[in-house]
Amino acid sequence: MSDARYAVGIDLGTTHCALSSVDLDASEWDEVTQDLMPVPQLTGPGTVAALPLLPSFLYLPHPDEFAVEDLTLPWDDRTDQLLGELARSVGARTPIRLVSSAKSWLCHPGIDRRSSVLPPGAPEDEVSRVSPYQASVRYLEHLRDAWNHAHPEHDLVRQEVTVTVPASFDPAARELTAEAAQTVGFRRLVLLEEPQAALYSWIHDSAGTWRKQVRVGDIILVIDVGGGTTDLSLIAVTARDGALELVRVAVGEHILLGGDNMDLALAHLVGGKLTATGTTLDHWQIQALTHGCRQAKEALLMDPSLEAVPVVVPSRGTRLIRRSLRTELTGGEVTHTLVEGFFPEVPVSARPAARPRAALTKLGLPYAQDAAVTRHLAAFLGMQKGATEDLPGFEPGGGSFLHPTAVLFNGGVFKANLLVERVMKVINDWLATDDAPPARLLAGVDLDLSVARGASYYGYVRRGGGVRIRGGTARSYYVGVESAVPAVPGVEPRIQALCLAPFGMEEGTQAEIPPQEFGLVVSEQVRFRFFGSPVRRDDQVGDLLEDWSAEEIEELEEIEAYLPAETRTPGEIVPVHLRASVTEVGTLLLEAMPLDGPEHWKVEFNVRNPANE
Amino acid sequence: MSESTPSVFRRFALLLSVFRRILTDARFAGQVAELHAGRATAASDARGGKETPRLREAEPNAGLQLLGLLQRDGRLIDFLEEDVGAYSDAEVGAAARVVHEGCKETLAQHFTIEAVRAESEGDRVTLAADFDVSAVRLTGNLVGQAPFTGSLVHRGWRVTETRLPQVATGHDLRILAPAEVEL
C-alpha cells in the first residue's frame, strides 16, 4: 500500500513547532530508529541556522525593513512573510506586525478563523493580515520545505504524517488543522491528541518496560501544560486477549493557560518593582524582562537554596552598563506567584472562578479567567468521575472525583521539579480524603519534544509496530431540534438535543442514521445549533434529550448545510437525514442525505462568527 | 637530491622503517592512510610545497559573523566599547550577566567545545614522545626529551564541532548590529 519510508510527527504548537521522524525501513518492534529534524530558519537578517524548534511566530515585514537578499532561505526567498526565530525577535520590537498564538485563534469561537484578523492590532491599510488558518498553513509549509531540503529523495507529502492537536480542540478546529495540512499537500495524514502523543513518547522511551510500570486497572492522568494551553486527558489501562491495552476515556476542556502566562506574571511582578522606582518599561523591555525572569525562575526552581537571582533588563541602546536596569527575583516571589498562583493547594471540590468562555468584551483570546491549574484539574476529575464505569475491570468510583493511579507530566513548565511535586501533593491529598492510594509519577518524558517524538512513534505503531491507545471521539455530539409544541409569544421554542454521534466513535467509522428528518431548503444556508458532551457516554444515535445541564452539554458553534441547486429547484424543501462519521484522518464529518436520492452533502462547521455578519 | 624526492636506496630504507612504525604507531598509520587515499594531512600542507605560501590572510567573514552573533545575543561589542572605569563593580556586574548569558548561549549553539586534557588542573601529567605540540604547550623548566612529566596548569579548549549559521549571499557581515530607529 505504501511507498512511505518515514513516519513523521509534527508538533504544531502554540509557541513552538517540532518535527520528528521514524525510519520505517530501519525499525522493527521495540527497535525504533527515530530522529528529530533541526529546522533551518532565519535567526537574523541574512543568517540561517538549524534549530531544534521552530518558534510559531509569523512576521509581516514592512517593504523597507529588510534587504531582499537578507530573507533568503535555503529553499525559497519569499519576502512578504518571515517566520521562526527572526520573526519572534523582530516582533518583540515591532509587535503590530507579529502574528503569535495562531493556534489559540484557530479554536477561538468568537472570530471567523478563515478571515484575515491577525495580528489583531495591526493597522489594516498597512499590514496585509493573515487568518489563523493561513498562519497554520505557513508553519506547515516551512516544515515541509525544510524536510524536503534535507530529504530530497523522500518528499514529505508522500510520508505518513501525524499532526498533533490539543485533546480539547473542538471538531471545527480539528478540521481546520487537517485542512491546513492537506493544503500543504500531506496525503497520508492523521491527527493525534497531544497528551496521547506524550504517552506514546513515554512508552517508546521505556523501551518495553512500560508493561511492568502499569497494570490493568490503572488510570493515567496526563497533564500537558504547553506554552499557551493546558490539556488534560485520562487514559485507562485495560486487558484484551491477555495483553495490556490503553483506552483514552476523557479529555478536558480547552484552557488557555500555559507557561507563557507564568513567565509573564513574573515579569509583571518584577516590572512592578522597577516602576515603583520611577522607571517605565516599553514593550521591548517587558519582553526582555520576561526572558530574564524565565531564566531566573528556572534557576530558583532548580535550586531551592537560592534566595534571589538578579534579573537584568538590558538597555536598548549601546550604553549597556549605564542604561541596563537591574533588579532581582526572589525565591519567595516565585513561590508566591507561580506555585501558589498557578498551582495552589485547593480541595478537590474547588472549581475555576468563572467559565473560561464567558463574556468576551473585546477581540482577544479567551484566556482562562482562573489561573489556578489545580482548580481546573479538580473540575476535570470531578466532572469525569464516571469515566471508567463502562470499562471491564474497573471498580465503580465511590468518591467525589475520578481517582487517577498514575500521572504523566508534559510541557517545559514541569522542568521545575518543585511544580511536579506540588501537583503530585495536591492530587495525593485529594486521593487521601477519599481513602484512595496515592498516585505514582511516570517519569522520563522529554518535556519539550515528547509530543513530536510521540507523534512519529504513533505513525510507526499504526502500522502494527506496538501498542495503540484506543478511545475514539471524547465527546458525544447533538444537533438542536425545535420541539413540536404550540408557540407561546415571548417564549423561545424549547430545543431538544438529538444525538448524532455517540461517545467514543473510532476513526474510520460511521454512526447509524437517526430516524429524524430535517427539511433543507435548496440554495439556502440552513443552520442548526450544535452541541457536544464530554461526559454522556451512554447516549445512542437518535436519542432525544429534553433537559440537560450546562455542565454536561456544551453548545458549540452552529453547523450549516447548503444544498446546491444542481439537480433540484431553488427553494424546494428536501427532507434529509443527518449522519455523523469520523474520518480516517480523525475529524468529525456530518453529512445530509436526502431520503429520495443517493447524494451526500457535507454539513459544515460554522467557523464564522455570526456577530460579524 | 631534495627531501621530497628521495633516491631508490633512501626509499628502500624508508620502506623498512615505515613498515615497522605503521605496526607500532597507530597515529602514524592513520596519517599514512590519509596520504595513501590522496588526502594530504594538515601538517604536510602547513609545511608546504613551493606553491603554497607559508602565511595567508585569515578570511574575515567568519570572524565578522561571530562578532555579529556575540553582539546580537550577548551585547559583547556594546559591553567592550563602554568605559568600565566610570562605573561601580555592581553596575559592571549587572551588565556582565547579560553578556555572559548571551555569549555562552551563542557558543553553545554554534560550537562544541571540550577540554584538551581530561585531567584536573594541578594533576601530574606525562606526555609521550608523539604528543601533539599544537594542543599542549610546554612551559617552565623546559629541558631534556620526551616523555615529559609536569603539572597541568590549564586544561586547554578544543572545538570539536562548528555549526555556524549559513549566510545569505550579499548579506553585509560588516554590520555587526544595525542602527535602530523607532517610529
Side-chain angles (χ1 to χ4, degrees):
Chain A
M1 141 220 171
S2 165
D3 58 339
R5 167 74 187 270
Y6 294 95
V8 174
I10 295 178
D11 175 5
L12 190 60
T14 316
T15 54
H16 288 93
C17 301
L19 187 149
S20 152
S21 65
V22 168
D23 185 339
L24 295 170
D25 286 2
S27 302
E28 204 172 316
W29 294 106
D30 284 345
E31 298 294 316
V32 178
T33 308
Q34 192 173 51
D35 257 327
L36 188 88
M37 182 183 78
V39 188
Q41 56 194 288
L42 287 163
T43 55
T47 307
V48 173
L51 305 179
L53 299 170
L54 176 73
S56 311
F57 292 88
L58 183 66
Y59 185 80
L60 311 167
H62 188 276
D64 289 334
E65 199 170 348
F66 294 101
V68 176
E69 64 271 16
D70 277 356
L71 300 183
T72 309
L73 283 169
W75 50 84
D76 79 5
D77 36 31
R78 251 191 109 138
T79 55
D80 59 331
Q81 295 177 349
L82 55 108
L83 46 80
E85 182 55 38
L86 179 61
R88 196 185 61 75
S89 62
V90 294
R93 293 169 159 84
T94 310
I96 58 162
R97 292 177 175 273
L98 181 70
V99 176
S100 59
S101 299
K103 184 181 181 179
S104 299
W105 290 96
L106 199 63
C107 61
H108 188 320
I111 58 156
D112 177 350
R113 305 159 208 191
R114 289 179 200 276
S115 77
S116 303
V117 293
L118 301 179
E124 267 175 69
D125 46 345
E126 283 282 333
V127 181
S128 54
R129 301 198 283 183
V130 299
S131 71
Y133 168 76
Q134 284 163 338
S136 306
V137 170
R138 287 292 290 129
Y139 301 142
L140 289 170
E141 276 176 348
H142 186 99
L143 292 171
R144 176 199 65 194
D145 294 343
W147 169 276
N148 289 348
H149 189 71
H151 303 81
E153 317 263 288
H154 302 282
D155 195 322
L156 188 55
V157 305
R158 292 199 315 273
Q159 313 305 315
E160 310 266 358
V161 177
T162 305
V163 175
T164 61
V165 290
S168 51
F169 252 21
D170 64 17
R174 276 171 205 247
E175 184 168 288
L176 284 169
T177 308
E179 202 181 313
Q182 279 152 349
T183 302
V184 169
F186 301 151
R187 275 172 256 160
R188 299 210 182 104
L189 172 75
V190 286
L191 301 182
L192 176 67
E193 292 173 0
E194 285 155 13
Q196 289 191 43
L199 190 64
Y200 275 118
S201 178
W202 176 77
I203 288 172
H204 171 39
D205 289 347
S206 80
T209 66
W210 71 275
R211 291 183 188 84
K212 298 193 187 74
Q213 297 188 52
V214 296
R215 54 186 172 267
V216 173
D218 265 336
I219 301 170
I220 304 169
L221 167 66
V222 184
I223 304 177
D224 181 5
V225 180
T229 53
T230 292
D231 211 10
L232 304 169
S233 285
L234 287 166
I235 295 163
V237 182
T238 64
R240 180 190 266 187
D241 306 330
L244 288 183
E245 191 177 57
L246 299 168
V247 185
R248 198 266 288 103
V249 291
V251 303
E253 63 177 303
H254 204 65
I255 308 166
L256 282 189
L257 174 64
D260 288 3
N261 305 51
M262 301 178 193
D263 295 335
L264 204 57
L266 287 177
H268 280 292
L269 176 84
V270 174
K273 289 199 272 188
L274 287 171
T275 13
T277 63
T279 338
T280 46
L281 298 175
D282 65 14
H283 182 84
W284 184 86
Q285 285 173 311
I286 295 271
Q287 297 274 321
L289 186 60
T290 310
H291 179 76
C293 284
R294 185 178 305 132
Q295 311 272 338
K297 169 198 82 178
E298 279 166 14
L300 285 165
L301 288 173
M302 293 287 164
D303 183 358
S305 67
L306 287 176
E307 278 177 14
V309 170
V311 176
V312 179
V313 184
S315 67
R316 283 187 74 173
T318 55
R319 311 299 296 272
L320 185 65
I321 304 177
R322 174 184 288 186
R323 293 281 158 79
S324 290
L325 304 171
R326 186 181 183 281
T327 176
E328 61 175 22
L329 185 65
T330 66
E333 286 164 342
V334 169
T335 312
H336 182 76
T337 309
L338 272 196
V339 185
E340 300 306 331
F342 289 89
F343 301 92
E345 289 189 50
V346 294
V348 71
S349 56
R351 292 294 177 264
R355 297 276 302 161
R357 284 187 179 172
L360 293 174
T361 47
K362 65 179 181 113
L363 185 62
L365 286 172
Y367 290 112
Q369 290 177 2
D370 193 321
V373 173
T374 41
R375 270 197 281 273
H376 290 281
L377 186 58
F380 172 61
L381 293 176
M383 183 184 204
Q384 294 295 346
K385 71 179 168 198
T388 55
E389 266 167 13
D390 299 338
L391 285 179
F394 283 81
E395 310 280 319
S400 58
F401 68 104
L402 188 107
H403 297 166
T405 60
V407 184
L408 182 74
F409 289 93
N410 191 46
V413 168
F414 292 114
K415 281 180 201 162
N417 212 26
L418 203 62
L419 298 182
V420 171
E421 282 165 14
R422 166 54 70 93
V423 176
M424 288 306 289
K425 178 176 187 307
V426 170
I427 292 173
N428 285 334
D429 285 352
W430 294 344
L431 288 167
T433 60
D434 271 8
D435 292 326
R440 314 188 299 281
L441 174 69
L442 302 182
V445 156
D446 181 325
L447 296 165
D448 282 328
L449 300 170
S450 67
V451 169
R453 298 182 57 216
S456 67
Y457 178 68
Y458 171 69
Y460 168 67
V461 301
R462 281 185 76 230
R463 297 162 63 105
V467 69
R468 284 184 63 175
I469 303 170
R470 294 194 307 115
T473 52
R475 285 189 181 82
S476 46
Y477 293 99
Y478 309 82
V479 65
V481 184
E482 281 184 21
S483 59
V485 291
V488 180
V491 178
E492 268 196 54
R494 279 176 61 86
I495 289 282
Q496 295 174 306
L498 166 67
C499 182
L500 284 184
F503 198 95
M505 273 181 75
E506 303 260 358
E507 282 146 36
T509 62
Q510 286 182 344
E512 316 253 309
I513 301 168
Q516 287 81 354
E517 291 169 21
F518 296 84
L520 294 190
V521 188
V522 175
S523 291
E524 268 182 35
Q525 296 279 7
V526 181
R527 286 190 178 156
F528 301 96
R529 291 173 70 181
F530 190 54
F531 304 86
S533 167
V535 289
R536 296 187 65 101
R537 292 176 168 78
D538 299 326
D539 289 342
Q540 294 304 314
V541 172
D543 287 357
L544 263 180
L545 313 185
E546 297 279 348
D547 292 299
W548 59 83
S549 67
E551 281 92 56
E552 58 175 357
I553 291 192
E554 180 193 19
E555 177 151 15
L556 305 169
E557 287 116 284
E558 292 176 326
I559 51 176
E560 56 187 32
Y562 179 79
L563 265 51
E566 283 157 8
T567 56
R568 294 165 191 272
T569 349
E572 182 192 345
I573 295 179
V574 181
V576 297
H577 283 137
L578 292 181
R579 182 182 67 184
S581 41
V582 178
T583 64
E584 294 289 345
V585 169
T587 54
L588 184 71
L589 173 69
L590 300 177
E591 289 169 304
M593 303 189 301
L595 271 53
D596 59 353
E599 304 111 299
H600 289 213
W601 291 291
K602 191 175 172 209
V603 180
E604 303 283 349
F605 299 109
N606 184 7
V607 293
R608 283 176 287 277
N609 179 14
N612 290 349
E613 287 170 19
Chain B
M1 190 147 294
S2 84
E3 184 72 16
S4 56
T5 51
S7 70
V8 175
F9 176 76
R10 179 97 182 83
R11 276 186 269 170
F12 188 70
L14 186 66
L15 171 75
L16 292 180
S17 73
V18 165
F19 183 73
R20 201 172 65 222
R21 198 167 160 202
I22 285 178
L23 288 178
T24 55
D25 181 348
R27 195 168 152 239
F28 180 72
Q31 286 171 339
V32 173
E34 292 272 305
L35 201 60
H36 184 63
R39 295 185 297 267
T41 60
S44 71
D45 266 359
R47 276 176 212 121
K50 281 170 198 143
E51 296 81 9
T52 29
R54 285 159 183 277
L55 293 172
R56 58 189 165 82
E57 294 292 327
E59 209 273 321
N61 281 352
L64 291 174
Q65 183 189 22
L66 185 58
L67 277 182
L69 290 171
L70 292 171
Q71 162 63 20
R72 188 188 77 197
D73 298 331
R75 308 288 298 272
L76 185 67
I77 312 295
D78 291 340
F79 184 67
L80 298 179
E81 287 294 313
E82 212 165 353
D83 175 15
V84 187
Y87 304 100
S88 72
D89 282 3
E91 288 169 313
V92 176
R97 279 181 191 282
V98 176
V99 178
H100 180 265
E101 187 201 307
C103 292
K104 189 183 167 78
E105 230 175 80
T106 306
L107 283 191
Q109 197 183 334
H110 302 296
F111 302 95
T112 307
I113 300 178
E114 57 185 44
V116 172
R117 301 292 306 194
E119 297 91 344
S120 304
E121 287 172 8
D123 282 5
R124 300 294 288 175
V125 294
T126 302
L127 301 168
D130 62 344
F131 77 95
D132 182 352
V133 287
S134 57
V136 182
R137 164 88 26 86
L138 300 176
T139 57
N141 187 20
L142 183 47
V143 291
Q145 284 169 345
F148 297 106
T149 299
S151 159
L152 184 65
V153 179
H154 191 291
R155 301 172 70 191
W157 296 116
R158 184 203 310 270
V159 171
T160 56
E161 208 188 322
T162 307
R163 299 171 293 269
L164 281 169
Q166 294 175 293
V167 182
T169 325
H171 177 64
D172 189 352
L173 284 168
R174 292 171 307 163
I175 305 296
L176 301 180
E180 204 178 312
V181 181
E182 183 146 300
L183 309 180

